PDB file of all heavy atoms in Angstrom:
ATOM      1  N   ALA A  24      65.866  99.813 108.009  1.00  0.00           N
ATOM      2  CA  ALA A  24      65.188 100.258 109.298  1.00  0.00           C
ATOM      3  C   ALA A  24      64.415 101.561 109.028  1.00  0.00           C
ATOM      4  O   ALA A  24      63.454 101.806 109.731  1.00  0.00           O
ATOM      5  CB  ALA A  24      66.324 100.527 110.290  1.00  0.00           C
ATOM      6  N   THR A  25      64.900 102.384 108.068  1.00  0.00           N
ATOM      7  CA  THR A  25      64.158 103.586 107.796  1.00  0.00           C
ATOM      8  C   THR A  25      62.801 103.201 107.189  1.00  0.00           C
ATOM      9  O   THR A  25      61.744 103.860 107.501  1.00  0.00           O
ATOM     10  CB  THR A  25      64.905 104.518 106.782  1.00  0.00           C
ATOM     11  OG1 THR A  25      66.163 104.853 107.338  1.00  0.00           O
ATOM     12  CG2 THR A  25      64.113 105.684 106.344  1.00  0.00           C
ATOM     13  N   ALA A  26      62.759 102.190 106.300  1.00  0.00           N
ATOM     14  CA  ALA A  26      61.530 101.828 105.684  1.00  0.00           C
ATOM     15  C   ALA A  26      60.496 101.191 106.641  1.00  0.00           C
ATOM     16  O   ALA A  26      59.256 101.356 106.531  1.00  0.00           O
ATOM     17  CB  ALA A  26      61.822 100.859 104.544  1.00  0.00           C
ATOM     18  N   ASP A  27      61.028 100.320 107.619  1.00  0.00           N
ATOM     19  CA  ASP A  27      60.033  99.661 108.452  1.00  0.00           C
ATOM     20  C   ASP A  27      59.865 100.326 109.797  1.00  0.00           C
ATOM     21  O   ASP A  27      59.131  99.788 110.651  1.00  0.00           O
ATOM     22  CB  ASP A  27      60.552  98.147 108.655  1.00  0.00           C
ATOM     23  CG  ASP A  27      61.855  98.059 109.468  1.00  0.00           C
ATOM     24  OD1 ASP A  27      62.243  98.994 110.099  1.00  0.00           O
ATOM     25  OD2 ASP A  27      62.480  96.971 109.408  1.00  0.00           O
ATOM     26  N   GLY A  28      60.411 101.505 109.997  1.00  0.00           N
ATOM     27  CA  GLY A  28      60.155 102.216 111.214  1.00  0.00           C
ATOM     28  C   GLY A  28      61.046 101.857 112.417  1.00  0.00           C
ATOM     29  O   GLY A  28      60.781 102.404 113.524  1.00  0.00           O
ATOM     30  N   SER A  29      62.022 101.019 112.187  1.00  0.00           N
ATOM     31  CA  SER A  29      62.874 100.562 113.374  1.00  0.00           C
ATOM     32  C   SER A  29      64.154 101.377 113.441  1.00  0.00           C
ATOM     33  O   SER A  29      64.999 100.948 114.202  1.00  0.00           O
ATOM     34  CB  SER A  29      63.166  99.085 113.188  1.00  0.00           C
ATOM     35  OG  SER A  29      63.882  98.776 112.004  1.00  0.00           O
ATOM     36  N   LEU A  30      64.273 102.434 112.695  1.00  0.00           N
ATOM     37  CA  LEU A  30      65.517 103.142 112.763  1.00  0.00           C
ATOM     38  C   LEU A  30      65.956 103.700 114.047  1.00  0.00           C
ATOM     39  O   LEU A  30      67.157 103.554 114.455  1.00  0.00           O
ATOM     40  CB  LEU A  30      65.474 104.326 111.690  1.00  0.00           C
ATOM     41  CG  LEU A  30      66.784 105.151 111.538  1.00  0.00           C
ATOM     42  CD1 LEU A  30      67.928 104.239 111.029  1.00  0.00           C
ATOM     43  CD2 LEU A  30      66.565 106.376 110.610  1.00  0.00           C
ATOM     44  N   PRO A  31      65.029 104.310 114.777  1.00  0.00           N
ATOM     45  CA  PRO A  31      65.460 104.798 116.153  1.00  0.00           C
ATOM     46  C   PRO A  31      66.084 103.684 117.089  1.00  0.00           C
ATOM     47  O   PRO A  31      67.058 103.931 117.751  1.00  0.00           O
ATOM     48  CB  PRO A  31      64.229 105.378 116.703  1.00  0.00           C
ATOM     49  CG  PRO A  31      63.402 105.784 115.547  1.00  0.00           C
ATOM     50  CD  PRO A  31      63.656 104.765 114.513  1.00  0.00           C
ATOM     51  N   GLY A  32      65.519 102.513 116.984  1.00  0.00           N
ATOM     52  CA  GLY A  32      65.993 101.402 117.833  1.00  0.00           C
ATOM     53  C   GLY A  32      67.350 100.973 117.378  1.00  0.00           C
ATOM     54  O   GLY A  32      68.252 100.726 118.206  1.00  0.00           O
ATOM     55  N   LEU A  33      67.624 100.931 116.019  1.00  0.00           N
ATOM     56  CA  LEU A  33      68.809 100.554 115.485  1.00  0.00           C
ATOM     57  C   LEU A  33      69.960 101.547 115.831  1.00  0.00           C
ATOM     58  O   LEU A  33      71.017 101.200 116.342  1.00  0.00           O
ATOM     59  CB  LEU A  33      68.753 100.321 114.006  1.00  0.00           C
ATOM     60  CG  LEU A  33      70.090 100.055 113.268  1.00  0.00           C
ATOM     61  CD1 LEU A  33      70.706  98.718 113.791  1.00  0.00           C
ATOM     62  CD2 LEU A  33      69.884  99.935 111.730  1.00  0.00           C
ATOM     63  N   LEU A  34      69.601 102.794 115.679  1.00  0.00           N
ATOM     64  CA  LEU A  34      70.594 103.888 115.996  1.00  0.00           C
ATOM     65  C   LEU A  34      70.892 103.848 117.431  1.00  0.00           C
ATOM     66  O   LEU A  34      72.062 103.986 117.872  1.00  0.00           O
ATOM     67  CB  LEU A  34      70.027 105.252 115.662  1.00  0.00           C
ATOM     68  CG  LEU A  34      69.822 105.545 114.180  1.00  0.00           C
ATOM     69  CD1 LEU A  34      69.187 106.855 113.937  1.00  0.00           C
ATOM     70  CD2 LEU A  34      71.109 105.390 113.296  1.00  0.00           C
ATOM     71  N   ASN A  35      69.893 103.677 118.330  1.00  0.00           N
ATOM     72  CA  ASN A  35      70.161 103.573 119.812  1.00  0.00           C
ATOM     73  C   ASN A  35      71.092 102.432 120.089  1.00  0.00           C
ATOM     74  O   ASN A  35      71.952 102.457 120.930  1.00  0.00           O
ATOM     75  CB  ASN A  35      68.829 103.420 120.465  1.00  0.00           C
ATOM     76  CG  ASN A  35      69.018 103.517 121.975  1.00  0.00           C
ATOM     77  OD1 ASN A  35      69.559 104.479 122.545  1.00  0.00           O
ATOM     78  ND2 ASN A  35      68.528 102.506 122.756  1.00  0.00           N
ATOM     79  N   LYS A  36      70.866 101.214 119.462  1.00  0.00           N
ATOM     80  CA  LYS A  36      71.600 100.047 119.668  1.00  0.00           C
ATOM     81  C   LYS A  36      73.115 100.275 119.351  1.00  0.00           C
ATOM     82  O   LYS A  36      74.059  99.932 120.094  1.00  0.00           O
ATOM     83  CB  LYS A  36      71.074  98.865 118.912  1.00  0.00           C
ATOM     84  CG  LYS A  36      71.910  97.586 118.932  1.00  0.00           C
ATOM     85  CD  LYS A  36      71.385  96.507 118.072  1.00  0.00           C
ATOM     86  CE  LYS A  36      72.319  95.261 118.060  1.00  0.00           C
ATOM     87  NZ  LYS A  36      71.714  94.194 117.117  1.00  0.00           N
ATOM     88  N   ILE A  37      73.291 100.843 118.203  1.00  0.00           N
ATOM     89  CA  ILE A  37      74.661 101.201 117.733  1.00  0.00           C
ATOM     90  C   ILE A  37      75.392 102.211 118.633  1.00  0.00           C
ATOM     91  O   ILE A  37      76.526 102.092 118.990  1.00  0.00           O
ATOM     92  CB  ILE A  37      74.673 101.641 116.266  1.00  0.00           C
ATOM     93  CG1 ILE A  37      74.127 100.494 115.341  1.00  0.00           C
ATOM     94  CG2 ILE A  37      76.050 102.028 115.836  1.00  0.00           C
ATOM     95  CD1 ILE A  37      73.997 100.935 113.879  1.00  0.00           C
ATOM     96  N   ALA A  38      74.583 103.232 119.015  1.00  0.00           N
ATOM     97  CA  ALA A  38      75.229 104.261 119.769  1.00  0.00           C
ATOM     98  C   ALA A  38      75.611 103.823 121.138  1.00  0.00           C
ATOM     99  O   ALA A  38      76.599 104.285 121.705  1.00  0.00           O
ATOM    100  CB  ALA A  38      74.140 105.432 119.974  1.00  0.00           C
ATOM    101  N   LYS A  39      75.005 102.822 121.701  1.00  0.00           N
ATOM    102  CA  LYS A  39      75.293 102.310 123.049  1.00  0.00           C
ATOM    103  C   LYS A  39      76.374 101.328 123.081  1.00  0.00           C
ATOM    104  O   LYS A  39      76.828 100.960 124.214  1.00  0.00           O
ATOM    105  CB  LYS A  39      73.988 101.742 123.717  1.00  0.00           C
ATOM    106  CG  LYS A  39      73.010 102.856 124.052  1.00  0.00           C
ATOM    107  CD  LYS A  39      71.803 102.205 124.820  1.00  0.00           C
ATOM    108  CE  LYS A  39      70.824 103.308 125.352  1.00  0.00           C
ATOM    109  NZ  LYS A  39      69.613 102.722 126.087  1.00  0.00           N
ATOM    110  N   ALA A  40      76.790 100.803 122.008  1.00  0.00           N
ATOM    111  CA  ALA A  40      77.886  99.788 121.980  1.00  0.00           C
ATOM    112  C   ALA A  40      79.224 100.414 122.370  1.00  0.00           C
ATOM    113  O   ALA A  40      79.601 101.416 121.758  1.00  0.00           O
ATOM    114  CB  ALA A  40      77.967  99.121 120.581  1.00  0.00           C
ATOM    115  N   PRO A  41      79.874  99.922 123.429  1.00  0.00           N
ATOM    116  CA  PRO A  41      81.156 100.501 123.747  1.00  0.00           C
ATOM    117  C   PRO A  41      82.187 100.453 122.691  1.00  0.00           C
ATOM    118  O   PRO A  41      82.996 101.460 122.560  1.00  0.00           O
ATOM    119  CB  PRO A  41      81.594  99.591 124.960  1.00  0.00           C
ATOM    120  CG  PRO A  41      80.302  99.056 125.519  1.00  0.00           C
ATOM    121  CD  PRO A  41      79.406  98.835 124.325  1.00  0.00           C
ATOM    122  N   VAL A  42      82.189  99.448 121.870  1.00  0.00           N
ATOM    123  CA  VAL A  42      83.099  99.315 120.686  1.00  0.00           C
ATOM    124  C   VAL A  42      82.256  99.011 119.467  1.00  0.00           C
ATOM    125  O   VAL A  42      81.458  98.050 119.445  1.00  0.00           O
ATOM    126  CB  VAL A  42      84.087  98.219 120.923  1.00  0.00           C
ATOM    127  CG1 VAL A  42      85.027  98.165 119.715  1.00  0.00           C
ATOM    128  CG2 VAL A  42      85.018  98.551 122.093  1.00  0.00           C
ATOM    129  N   LEU A  43      82.468  99.875 118.441  1.00  0.00           N
ATOM    130  CA  LEU A  43      81.737  99.668 117.107  1.00  0.00           C
ATOM    131  C   LEU A  43      82.823  99.456 116.104  1.00  0.00           C
ATOM    132  O   LEU A  43      83.708 100.280 115.935  1.00  0.00           O
ATOM    133  CB  LEU A  43      80.867 100.798 116.797  1.00  0.00           C
ATOM    134  CG  LEU A  43      80.270 100.910 115.358  1.00  0.00           C
ATOM    135  CD1 LEU A  43      79.320  99.704 115.172  1.00  0.00           C
ATOM    136  CD2 LEU A  43      79.631 102.162 115.043  1.00  0.00           C
ATOM    137  N   VAL A  44      82.761  98.367 115.343  1.00  0.00           N
ATOM    138  CA  VAL A  44      83.656  98.094 114.223  1.00  0.00           C
ATOM    139  C   VAL A  44      82.892  98.326 112.969  1.00  0.00           C
ATOM    140  O   VAL A  44      81.905  97.690 112.661  1.00  0.00           O
ATOM    141  CB  VAL A  44      84.246  96.679 114.271  1.00  0.00           C
ATOM    142  CG1 VAL A  44      85.226  96.469 113.057  1.00  0.00           C
ATOM    143  CG2 VAL A  44      85.027  96.514 115.568  1.00  0.00           C
ATOM    144  N   VAL A  45      83.368  99.241 112.036  1.00  0.00           N
ATOM    145  CA  VAL A  45      82.792  99.482 110.744  1.00  0.00           C
ATOM    146  C   VAL A  45      83.910  99.106 109.738  1.00  0.00           C
ATOM    147  O   VAL A  45      84.895  99.797 109.573  1.00  0.00           O
ATOM    148  CB  VAL A  45      82.330 100.928 110.498  1.00  0.00           C
ATOM    149  CG1 VAL A  45      81.747 101.106 109.133  1.00  0.00           C
ATOM    150  CG2 VAL A  45      81.357 101.327 111.575  1.00  0.00           C
ATOM    151  N   ASP A  46      83.688  97.911 109.094  1.00  0.00           N
ATOM    152  CA  ASP A  46      84.703  97.293 108.209  1.00  0.00           C
ATOM    153  C   ASP A  46      84.435  97.721 106.710  1.00  0.00           C
ATOM    154  O   ASP A  46      83.414  97.609 106.256  1.00  0.00           O
ATOM    155  CB  ASP A  46      84.645  95.822 108.393  1.00  0.00           C
ATOM    156  CG  ASP A  46      85.861  95.115 107.856  1.00  0.00           C
ATOM    157  OD1 ASP A  46      86.957  95.773 107.617  1.00  0.00           O
ATOM    158  OD2 ASP A  46      85.775  93.846 107.630  1.00  0.00           O
ATOM    159  N   ASP A  47      85.499  98.074 106.138  1.00  0.00           N
ATOM    160  CA  ASP A  47      85.551  98.423 104.606  1.00  0.00           C
ATOM    161  C   ASP A  47      84.732  99.667 104.362  1.00  0.00           C
ATOM    162  O   ASP A  47      83.944  99.644 103.362  1.00  0.00           O
ATOM    163  CB  ASP A  47      85.025  97.204 103.870  1.00  0.00           C
ATOM    164  CG  ASP A  47      86.224  96.406 103.259  1.00  0.00           C
ATOM    165  OD1 ASP A  47      87.336  96.937 103.275  1.00  0.00           O
ATOM    166  OD2 ASP A  47      85.958  95.264 102.828  1.00  0.00           O
ATOM    167  N   TRP A  48      84.931 100.705 104.990  1.00  0.00           N
ATOM    168  CA  TRP A  48      84.285 102.005 104.691  1.00  0.00           C
ATOM    169  C   TRP A  48      84.749 102.420 103.349  1.00  0.00           C
ATOM    170  O   TRP A  48      85.956 102.320 102.993  1.00  0.00           O
ATOM    171  CB  TRP A  48      84.732 103.021 105.782  1.00  0.00           C
ATOM    172  CG  TRP A  48      84.530 104.490 105.350  1.00  0.00           C
ATOM    173  CD1 TRP A  48      85.520 105.309 104.913  1.00  0.00           C
ATOM    174  CD2 TRP A  48      83.324 105.182 105.263  1.00  0.00           C
ATOM    175  NE1 TRP A  48      84.915 106.562 104.578  1.00  0.00           N
ATOM    176  CE2 TRP A  48      83.567 106.506 104.740  1.00  0.00           C
ATOM    177  CE3 TRP A  48      81.959 104.902 105.631  1.00  0.00           C
ATOM    178  CZ2 TRP A  48      82.657 107.422 104.614  1.00  0.00           C
ATOM    179  CZ3 TRP A  48      81.007 105.878 105.368  1.00  0.00           C
ATOM    180  CH2 TRP A  48      81.293 107.122 104.859  1.00  0.00           C
ATOM    181  N   GLY A  49      83.845 103.007 102.615  1.00  0.00           N
ATOM    182  CA  GLY A  49      84.181 103.593 101.261  1.00  0.00           C
ATOM    183  C   GLY A  49      84.102 102.643 100.092  1.00  0.00           C
ATOM    184  O   GLY A  49      84.360 102.975  98.961  1.00  0.00           O
ATOM    185  N   MET A  50      83.719 101.335 100.395  1.00  0.00           N
ATOM    186  CA  MET A  50      83.712 100.361  99.343  1.00  0.00           C
ATOM    187  C   MET A  50      82.513 100.595  98.418  1.00  0.00           C
ATOM    188  O   MET A  50      82.521 100.295  97.181  1.00  0.00           O
ATOM    189  CB  MET A  50      83.637  98.984  99.886  1.00  0.00           C
ATOM    190  CG  MET A  50      84.960  98.484 100.463  1.00  0.00           C
ATOM    191  SD  MET A  50      86.235  98.464  99.175  1.00  0.00           S
ATOM    192  CE  MET A  50      85.651  97.139  98.074  1.00  0.00           C
ATOM    193  N   ALA A  51      81.424 101.208  98.921  1.00  0.00           N
ATOM    194  CA  ALA A  51      80.233 101.457  98.113  1.00  0.00           C
ATOM    195  C   ALA A  51      79.769 102.877  98.369  1.00  0.00           C
ATOM    196  O   ALA A  51      79.887 103.350  99.495  1.00  0.00           O
ATOM    197  CB  ALA A  51      79.111 100.374  98.446  1.00  0.00           C
ATOM    198  N   LYS A  52      79.174 103.462  97.344  1.00  0.00           N
ATOM    199  CA  LYS A  52      78.689 104.862  97.486  1.00  0.00           C
ATOM    200  C   LYS A  52      77.370 104.765  98.280  1.00  0.00           C
ATOM    201  O   LYS A  52      76.657 103.753  98.322  1.00  0.00           O
ATOM    202  CB  LYS A  52      78.333 105.424  96.059  1.00  0.00           C
ATOM    203  CG  LYS A  52      79.501 105.667  95.231  1.00  0.00           C
ATOM    204  CD  LYS A  52      80.299 106.832  95.796  1.00  0.00           C
ATOM    205  CE  LYS A  52      81.438 107.231  94.797  1.00  0.00           C
ATOM    206  NZ  LYS A  52      82.237 108.316  95.305  1.00  0.00           N
ATOM    207  N   ILE A  53      77.177 105.753  99.100  1.00  0.00           N
ATOM    208  CA  ILE A  53      76.026 105.843  99.929  1.00  0.00           C
ATOM    209  C   ILE A  53      75.182 107.073  99.648  1.00  0.00           C
ATOM    210  O   ILE A  53      75.755 108.072  99.047  1.00  0.00           O
ATOM    211  CB  ILE A  53      76.304 105.809 101.434  1.00  0.00           C
ATOM    212  CG1 ILE A  53      77.257 106.996 101.792  1.00  0.00           C
ATOM    213  CG2 ILE A  53      77.004 104.525 101.824  1.00  0.00           C
ATOM    214  CD1 ILE A  53      77.648 107.169 103.262  1.00  0.00           C
ATOM    215  N   ASP A  54      73.873 107.014  99.847  1.00  0.00           N
ATOM    216  CA  ASP A  54      73.055 108.162  99.545  1.00  0.00           C
ATOM    217  C   ASP A  54      73.093 109.162 100.700  1.00  0.00           C
ATOM    218  O   ASP A  54      73.630 108.873 101.757  1.00  0.00           O
ATOM    219  CB  ASP A  54      71.612 107.729  99.171  1.00  0.00           C
ATOM    220  CG  ASP A  54      70.872 107.119 100.340  1.00  0.00           C
ATOM    221  OD1 ASP A  54      71.125 107.381 101.504  1.00  0.00           O
ATOM    222  OD2 ASP A  54      70.063 106.200 100.008  1.00  0.00           O
ATOM    223  N   GLU A  55      72.443 110.342 100.528  1.00  0.00           N
ATOM    224  CA  GLU A  55      72.555 111.379 101.506  1.00  0.00           C
ATOM    225  C   GLU A  55      71.935 110.992 102.807  1.00  0.00           C
ATOM    226  O   GLU A  55      72.397 111.301 103.869  1.00  0.00           O
ATOM    227  CB  GLU A  55      71.799 112.652 100.962  1.00  0.00           C
ATOM    228  CG  GLU A  55      72.021 113.817 101.871  1.00  0.00           C
ATOM    229  CD  GLU A  55      71.382 115.083 101.242  1.00  0.00           C
ATOM    230  OE1 GLU A  55      71.022 115.010 100.090  1.00  0.00           O
ATOM    231  OE2 GLU A  55      71.291 116.121 101.974  1.00  0.00           O
ATOM    232  N   ARG A  56      70.765 110.293 102.778  1.00  0.00           N
ATOM    233  CA  ARG A  56      70.129 109.883 104.009  1.00  0.00           C
ATOM    234  C   ARG A  56      70.977 108.949 104.814  1.00  0.00           C
ATOM    235  O   ARG A  56      71.121 109.030 106.039  1.00  0.00           O
ATOM    236  CB  ARG A  56      68.757 109.270 103.728  1.00  0.00           C
ATOM    237  CG  ARG A  56      68.001 108.770 104.923  1.00  0.00           C
ATOM    238  CD  ARG A  56      67.733 109.946 105.899  1.00  0.00           C
ATOM    239  NE  ARG A  56      67.210 109.522 107.184  1.00  0.00           N
ATOM    240  CZ  ARG A  56      65.899 109.548 107.467  1.00  0.00           C
ATOM    241  NH1 ARG A  56      65.030 109.917 106.567  1.00  0.00           N
ATOM    242  NH2 ARG A  56      65.512 109.134 108.701  1.00  0.00           N
ATOM    243  N   GLN A  57      71.572 107.959 104.082  1.00  0.00           N
ATOM    244  CA  GLN A  57      72.482 106.998 104.762  1.00  0.00           C
ATOM    245  C   GLN A  57      73.680 107.722 105.405  1.00  0.00           C
ATOM    246  O   GLN A  57      74.067 107.410 106.545  1.00  0.00           O
ATOM    247  CB  GLN A  57      73.024 105.961 103.856  1.00  0.00           C
ATOM    248  CG  GLN A  57      71.891 104.967 103.332  1.00  0.00           C
ATOM    249  CD  GLN A  57      72.390 104.112 102.170  1.00  0.00           C
ATOM    250  OE1 GLN A  57      73.176 104.572 101.345  1.00  0.00           O
ATOM    251  NE2 GLN A  57      71.974 102.925 102.138  1.00  0.00           N
ATOM    252  N   TYR A  58      74.202 108.669 104.756  1.00  0.00           N
ATOM    253  CA  TYR A  58      75.341 109.465 105.280  1.00  0.00           C
ATOM    254  C   TYR A  58      74.963 110.204 106.538  1.00  0.00           C
ATOM    255  O   TYR A  58      75.607 110.260 107.521  1.00  0.00           O
ATOM    256  CB  TYR A  58      75.879 110.415 104.220  1.00  0.00           C
ATOM    257  CG  TYR A  58      76.936 111.381 104.851  1.00  0.00           C
ATOM    258  CD1 TYR A  58      78.138 110.825 105.182  1.00  0.00           C
ATOM    259  CD2 TYR A  58      76.661 112.684 104.976  1.00  0.00           C
ATOM    260  CE1 TYR A  58      79.138 111.660 105.782  1.00  0.00           C
ATOM    261  CE2 TYR A  58      77.586 113.531 105.492  1.00  0.00           C
ATOM    262  CZ  TYR A  58      78.900 113.026 105.898  1.00  0.00           C
ATOM    263  OH  TYR A  58      79.805 113.813 106.509  1.00  0.00           O
ATOM    264  N   ARG A  59      73.772 110.839 106.467  1.00  0.00           N
ATOM    265  CA  ARG A  59      73.293 111.608 107.650  1.00  0.00           C
ATOM    266  C   ARG A  59      73.090 110.710 108.852  1.00  0.00           C
ATOM    267  O   ARG A  59      73.396 111.093 109.959  1.00  0.00           O
ATOM    268  CB  ARG A  59      71.942 112.400 107.303  1.00  0.00           C
ATOM    269  CG  ARG A  59      72.106 113.344 106.193  1.00  0.00           C
ATOM    270  CD  ARG A  59      73.012 114.476 106.505  1.00  0.00           C
ATOM    271  NE  ARG A  59      73.029 115.504 105.467  1.00  0.00           N
ATOM    272  CZ  ARG A  59      74.036 116.241 105.134  1.00  0.00           C
ATOM    273  NH1 ARG A  59      75.122 116.185 105.825  1.00  0.00           N
ATOM    274  NH2 ARG A  59      73.971 117.179 104.212  1.00  0.00           N
ATOM    275  N   ASP A  60      72.490 109.528 108.566  1.00  0.00           N
ATOM    276  CA  ASP A  60      72.264 108.622 109.707  1.00  0.00           C
ATOM    277  C   ASP A  60      73.664 108.174 110.260  1.00  0.00           C
ATOM    278  O   ASP A  60      73.791 108.004 111.492  1.00  0.00           O
ATOM    279  CB  ASP A  60      71.513 107.382 109.198  1.00  0.00           C
ATOM    280  CG  ASP A  60      70.052 107.662 108.927  1.00  0.00           C
ATOM    281  OD1 ASP A  60      69.497 108.717 109.474  1.00  0.00           O
ATOM    282  OD2 ASP A  60      69.452 106.926 108.151  1.00  0.00           O
ATOM    283  N   PHE A  61      74.620 107.907 109.372  1.00  0.00           N
ATOM    284  CA  PHE A  61      75.963 107.485 109.882  1.00  0.00           C
ATOM    285  C   PHE A  61      76.596 108.605 110.665  1.00  0.00           C
ATOM    286  O   PHE A  61      77.272 108.414 111.633  1.00  0.00           O
ATOM    287  CB  PHE A  61      76.757 107.071 108.723  1.00  0.00           C
ATOM    288  CG  PHE A  61      78.110 106.481 109.066  1.00  0.00           C
ATOM    289  CD1 PHE A  61      78.141 105.374 109.884  1.00  0.00           C
ATOM    290  CD2 PHE A  61      79.298 107.049 108.628  1.00  0.00           C
ATOM    291  CE1 PHE A  61      79.361 104.787 110.258  1.00  0.00           C
ATOM    292  CE2 PHE A  61      80.546 106.469 109.023  1.00  0.00           C
ATOM    293  CZ  PHE A  61      80.578 105.397 109.810  1.00  0.00           C
ATOM    294  N   LEU A  62      76.446 109.841 110.167  1.00  0.00           N
ATOM    295  CA  LEU A  62      76.939 111.001 110.937  1.00  0.00           C
ATOM    296  C   LEU A  62      76.346 111.122 112.278  1.00  0.00           C
ATOM    297  O   LEU A  62      76.965 111.421 113.259  1.00  0.00           O
ATOM    298  CB  LEU A  62      76.676 112.284 110.122  1.00  0.00           C
ATOM    299  CG  LEU A  62      77.463 113.524 110.577  1.00  0.00           C
ATOM    300  CD1 LEU A  62      78.910 113.443 110.459  1.00  0.00           C
ATOM    301  CD2 LEU A  62      76.928 114.738 109.795  1.00  0.00           C
TER     302      LEU A  62
END
């Protein structure tokens, strides 16, 4: 989404979900930008 310019829309979609499930956190290393977006 960062590469194709759709990141704001994706972040907005995730932010508005009443329930968000993130499964298997920590299984793979993430880069700084991914971490900031997740934060």
